[in-house]
């Protein structure tokens, strides 16, 4: 970042002496620092968490898992006339799509006084659909055929298909008056020149309750109230978000008072939280929230070893995931057998599972040609060892502990596992997003209810240099039936028919195993007794999207 405010010194003077902070200041600890502040160029929970303070998506799934407006004034539906089917011509064929009209909140205004407008939607789409930009949600933007500007606050999206999620638009808009000139000057370099990273304290980049006012890259961020915010006045005069990548150190900072609370979405691991609650339950309210958080291991299917389905199945059969859940997490994080949570309405209980069976795992490896044992490690007929690298976020105690258990269990069947972890901002910002991991990458996906895995499983979403590293299919999974199922689910408006397609998708996922499912994560929110109104959602949307509801009661 080029522009660091002169107030940085004062900011971190305050961080060093938390007792001197005003009562209206809230200091939050998290384990990651955003690799970028741009809303659509990265897929990183830390970015989403702080974005919740400064921006608002058009629509969201609320705490009851219902789709509602956040930036719009009324959710458009077929029933209320806000959405309708329509036809269009393409390649000499008549196709069916949809027209969906949104009206933005009349008082929504960027921090520099510029109204949040339909033109912002138009630019966000122009940028997002351009492959040179590197937008994570490229496919979603490209499905919008055109946009009609009705007036300054009203626009109509013309979608290229009929889809059950036609009125869900969870992305934040970009300020066209700031970002469009940067993008148009050089689309291919936009991700490196965006004001969100080169001029991040520009008030015109925020229209939420807060704006980013100072930052020390890799360490901390300061947020001040946004004077143009149209909603309820937030309770805090300042919010400081500190990054402490080591979760043990993060816990120590909470106990010392250097941070007031820790973000449950991106903070203490469950095993830490359970132990912390026993020792400090009189000082903190520990809120546990299970939900749609899927801890798993992405497999790089370009690796010849992992391209063999027999090896992938052996890797899962060799893991005693039930014992891991019971011993490390007291059973609070149940084993995941597929990418759809049992809490989701489209979960298929008939999905095939892979119980712990090391004998079967060994037989699968023998069949795959890894049958020669040398010094406890399997080799193939060419004398090559069965060695696979695993990576995850450095400093996350729970992941690193699980990683050690996995390494040990795989070693018992003759697989040599090497560990190479990285700071989260590098792991997510470069290694995973550009498919630089050679073997396995352990992390979590967080989704909304009935979230179609388009970006993670469709063959069109494999990041490459040619598409600007867009998409989240980091495994490189390419399966025609999966592509057809994803497309079919999206186009089916009838829930019961859609559920049948979902069932087959989950079965195919379990059969092909492009990833190793581990467990469904429960987040732990350690809240000081005086902090009220923080409500975990259980899905991908963070608590910060409702920061204006947070309040102070009885703080000394």
């Amino acid at each position: 970042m080029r522009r660091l405010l002169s107030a940085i010194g004062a900011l971190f003077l305050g961080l060093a002496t938390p007792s001197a902070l005003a009562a209206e200041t809230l200091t939050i600890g998290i384990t990651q620092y955003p690799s970028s502040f741009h809303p659509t160029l990265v897929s990183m929970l830390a970015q989403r968490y702080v974005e919740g303070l400064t921006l608002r998506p058009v629509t969201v799934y609320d705490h009851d898992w219902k789709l509602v407006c956040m930036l719009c004034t009324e959710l458009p539906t077929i029933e209320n006339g806000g959405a309708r089917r329509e036809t269009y011509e393409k390649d000499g064929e008549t196709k069916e799509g949809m027209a969906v009209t949104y009206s933005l909140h009349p008082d929504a205004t960027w921090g520099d006084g510029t109204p949040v407008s339909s033109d912002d939607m138009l630019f966000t789409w122009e940028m997002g659909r351009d492959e040179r930009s590197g937008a994570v949600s490229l496919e979603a933007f490209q499905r919008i055929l055109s946009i009609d500007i009705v007036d300054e606050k009203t626009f109509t999206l013309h979608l290229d298909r009929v889809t059950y999620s036609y009125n869900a638009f969870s992305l934040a808009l970009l300020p066209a008056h700031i970002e469009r000139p940067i993008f148009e000057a050089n689309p291919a370099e936009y991700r490196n020149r965006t004001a969100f990273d080169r001029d991040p304290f520009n008030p015109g980049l925020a229209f939420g309750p807060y704006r980013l006012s100072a930052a020390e890259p890799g360490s901390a961020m300061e947020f001040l109230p946004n004077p143009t915010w149209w909603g309820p006045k937030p309770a805090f005069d300042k919010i400081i978000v500190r990054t402490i990548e080591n979760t043990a150190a993060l816990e120590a900072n909470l106990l010392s008072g250097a941070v007031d609370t820790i973000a449950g979405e991106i903070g203490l691991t469950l095993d830490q939280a359970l132990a912390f609650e026993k020792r400090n339950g009189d000082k903190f309210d520990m809120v546990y929230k299970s939900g749609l958080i899927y801890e798993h291991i992405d497999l790089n299917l370009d690796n010849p070893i992992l391209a063999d389905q027999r090896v992938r199945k052996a890797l899962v059969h060799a893991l005693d995931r039930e014992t891991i859940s019971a011993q490390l997490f007291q059973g609070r994080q149940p084993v995941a057998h597929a990418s759809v949570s049992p809490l989701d309405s489209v979960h298929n209980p008939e999905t095939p599972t892979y119980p712990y069976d090391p004998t079967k795992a060994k037989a699968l490896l023998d069949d795959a040609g890894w049958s020669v044992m040398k010094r406890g490690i399997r080799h193939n007929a060419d004398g090559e060892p069965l060695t696979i690298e695993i990576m995850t976020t450095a400093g996350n105690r729970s992941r690193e502990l699980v990683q050690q258990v996995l390494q040990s269990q795989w070693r018992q069947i003759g697989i040599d596992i090497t560990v190479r972890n990285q700071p989260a901002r590098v792991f997510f910002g470069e290694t995973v997003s550009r498919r630089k991991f050679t073997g396995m990458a352990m992390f979590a996906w967080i989704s909304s209810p009935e979230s179609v895995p388009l970006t993670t499983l469709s063959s069109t979403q494999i990041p490459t240099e040619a598409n600007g590293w867009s998409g989240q299919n980091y495994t490189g999974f390419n399966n025609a039936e999966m592509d057809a199922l994803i497309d079919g689910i999206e186009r089916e408006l009838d829930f019961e028919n859609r559920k049948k397609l979902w069932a087959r998708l989950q079965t195919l996922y379990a059969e092909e195993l492009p990833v190793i499912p581990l467990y469904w994560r429960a987040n732990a929110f350690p809240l000081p007794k005086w902090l009220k109104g923080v409500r975990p959602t259980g899905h991908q949307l963070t608590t910060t999207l409702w920061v204006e509801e947070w309040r102070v009661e009885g703080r000394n």
Side-chain angles (χ1 to χ4, degrees):
M1 298 175 186
R2 288 183 171 179
R3 213 180 105 199
L4 292 177
L5 298 187
S6 59
I8 280 283
L11 164 63
F12 293 103
L13 197 61
L15 288 179
T17 58
S19 61
L21 294 174
E24 294 80 11
T25 296
L26 177 68
T27 303
I28 305 170
I30 63 176
T31 57
Q32 299 174 10
Y33 190 89
S35 61
S36 169
F37 291 118
H38 196 287
T40 62
L41 296 183
V42 295
S43 177
M44 189 175 183
L45 185 53
Q47 188 280 328
R48 293 286 179 259
Y49 187 82
V50 298
E51 178 188 312
L53 300 171
T54 63
L55 296 171
R56 289 290 183 266
V58 179
T59 68
V60 299
Y61 284 94
D62 64 12
H63 302 87
D64 298 320
W65 295 18
K66 303 297 184 184
L67 187 66
V68 298
C69 271
M70 183 159 271
L71 181 58
C72 52
T73 57
E74 182 182 28
L75 190 68
T77 65
I78 294 173
E79 292 73 19
N80 66 21
R84 57 181 172 81
R85 295 172 182 258
E86 63 179 8
T87 59
Y88 65 95
E89 299 294 324
K90 183 178 181 181
D91 300 328
E93 296 182 22
T94 299
K95 298 181 179 292
E96 188 174 27
M98 298 191 75
V100 187
T101 300
Y102 296 91
S103 291
L104 303 177
H105 195 288
D107 297 326
T109 305
W110 296 101
D112 60 4
T114 303
V116 178
S117 69
S118 300
D119 190 48
D120 295 323
M121 178 64 237
L122 183 62
F123 166 68
T124 303
W125 170 66
E126 291 170 345
M127 184 284 301
R129 71 195 302 265
D130 192 314
E131 292 187 357
R132 295 170 294 178
S133 70
V136 171
S137 302
L138 174 67
E139 176 76 9
F141 286 116
Q142 290 185 337
R143 289 184 175 186
I144 301 173
L145 296 172
S146 62
I147 298 178
D148 291 338
I149 304 299
V150 179
D151 57 39
E152 184 181 54
K153 291 283 186 175
T154 306
F155 55 86
T156 299
L157 306 183
H158 294 278
L159 309 181
D160 70 351
R161 66 197 64 197
V162 175
T163 173
Y164 78 94
S165 58
Y166 63 86
N167 55 0
F169 193 87
S170 61
L171 298 174
L173 303 190
L174 304 174
H177 64 293
I178 294 174
E179 293 289 285
R180 179 179 277 129
I182 301 171
F183 175 73
E184 290 182 346
N186 191 336
E189 280 297 309
Y190 172 65
R191 68 182 302 121
N192 300 317
R193 298 181 178 183
T194 170
F196 280 96
D197 293 328
R198 290 208 168 190
D199 188 20
F201 315 128
N202 187 326
L205 299 176
F207 61 77
Y210 290 89
R211 64 178 181 85
L212 181 65
S213 55
E216 182 175 322
S219 179
M221 295 152 280
E222 176 193 75
F223 299 85
L224 297 178
N226 176 13
T228 68
W229 166 243
W230 70 88
K233 181 181 178 181
F236 298 98
D237 296 324
K238 179 189 297 183
I239 292 180
I240 296 170
V241 181
R242 296 189 60 193
T243 298
I244 303 167
E245 293 181 340
N246 184 284
T247 54
L250 183 62
E251 179 181 341
N253 273 263
L254 180 61
L255 286 173
S256 71
V259 299
D260 296 312
T261 187
I262 293 174
E265 299 94 335
I266 190 168
L268 294 182
T269 59
L270 185 64
D271 57 320
Q272 281 181 282
L274 293 168
F276 182 88
E277 183 180 22
K278 289 181 180 179
R279 299 190 304 267
N280 303 283
D282 58 328
K283 302 183 184 70
F284 295 88
D285 292 323
M286 187 67 76
V287 177
Y288 296 95
K289 186 67 175 182
S290 299
L292 309 180
I293 310 171
Y294 175 50
E295 192 77 18
H296 69 288
I297 300 174
D298 264 17
L299 305 176
N300 190 330
L301 301 183
D302 291 343
N303 183 322
I305 295 174
L306 298 173
D308 191 325
Q309 189 182 78
R310 293 167 296 184
V311 174
R312 301 199 297 271
K313 290 183 176 181
L315 286 168
V316 185
H317 275 305
L319 299 181
D320 190 354
R321 294 173 293 169
E322 294 288 353
T323 299
I324 291 173
S325 174
Q327 294 189 356
L328 297 186
F329 308 121
Q330 298 181 24
R332 286 181 179 265
Q333 300 195 136
V335 172
H337 296 292
S339 60
V340 177
S341 166
L343 299 175
D344 204 314
S345 61
V346 294
H347 174 253
N348 175 25
E350 305 299 322
T351 299
T353 62
Y354 293 82
Y356 177 51
D357 191 340
T359 300
K360 190 169 186 177
K362 292 176 182 177
L364 284 164
L365 292 178
D366 286 342
D367 188 49
W370 300 99
S371 57
V372 180
M373 297 294 291
K374 297 180 182 179
R375 296 179 297 278
I377 301 300
R378 290 176 176 269
H379 292 66
N380 61 16
D382 295 328
E384 299 169 331
L386 182 49
T387 299
I388 307 172
E389 182 179 79
I390 185 170
M391 304 180 70
T392 192
T393 50
N396 185 307
R397 191 174 76 174
S398 181
R399 280 183 176 152
E400 291 181 338
L401 180 59
V402 170
Q403 194 179 49
Q404 292 171 19
V405 175
L406 302 182
Q407 184 182 35
S408 174
Q409 292 184 350
W410 280 325
R411 180 62 184 253
Q412 290 174 21
I413 64 167
I415 302 176
D416 179 37
I417 299 295
T418 60
V419 173
R420 185 169 69 91
N421 297 335
Q422 293 177 326
R425 63 186 180 278
V426 179
F427 180 69
F428 291 115
E430 284 287 331
T431 302
V432 173
S433 63
R434 299 198 174 199
R435 304 188 68 224
K436 292 182 178 179
F437 63 101
T438 62
M440 301 188 282
M442 181 167 67
F443 59 99
W445 283 126
I446 306 176
S447 66
S448 295
E450 197 183 347
S451 178
V452 178
L454 170 69
T455 64
T456 58
L457 292 178
S458 171
S459 64
T460 66
Q461 299 298 299
I462 300 173
T464 64
E465 186 174 4
N467 67 19
W469 305 107
S470 297
Q472 297 169 305
N473 185 347
Y474 304 135
T475 66
F477 184 58
N478 189 338
N479 183 284
E481 185 183 2
M482 181 63 75
D483 290 348
L485 284 166
I486 290 171
D487 187 65
I489 289 171
E490 288 195 309
R491 294 177 185 272
E492 179 57 67
L493 298 185
D494 182 83
F495 177 74
E496 293 303 321
N497 290 337
R498 203 160 66 241
K499 195 171 181 179
K500 295 175 184 176
L501 295 174
W502 268 109
R504 175 55 190 158
L505 182 147
Q506 292 165 71
T507 297
L508 179 62
Y509 182 89
E511 291 171 348
E512 292 293 328
L513 281 179
V515 311
I516 296 175
L518 292 177
Y519 48 85
W520 291 102
R521 211 170 74 193
N523 282 340
F525 293 75
L527 304 174
K529 299 287 186 179
W530 49 263
L531 180 59
K532 307 297 181 182
V534 179
R535 294 190 296 158
T537 66
H539 53 69
Q540 69 176 351
L541 299 177
T542 64
T543 52
T544 49
L545 280 170
W546 293 270
V547 65
E548 65 272 23
E549 297 179 1
W550 300 2
R551 61 189 186 278
V552 177
E553 291 184 5
R555 185 180 189 181
N556 296 323

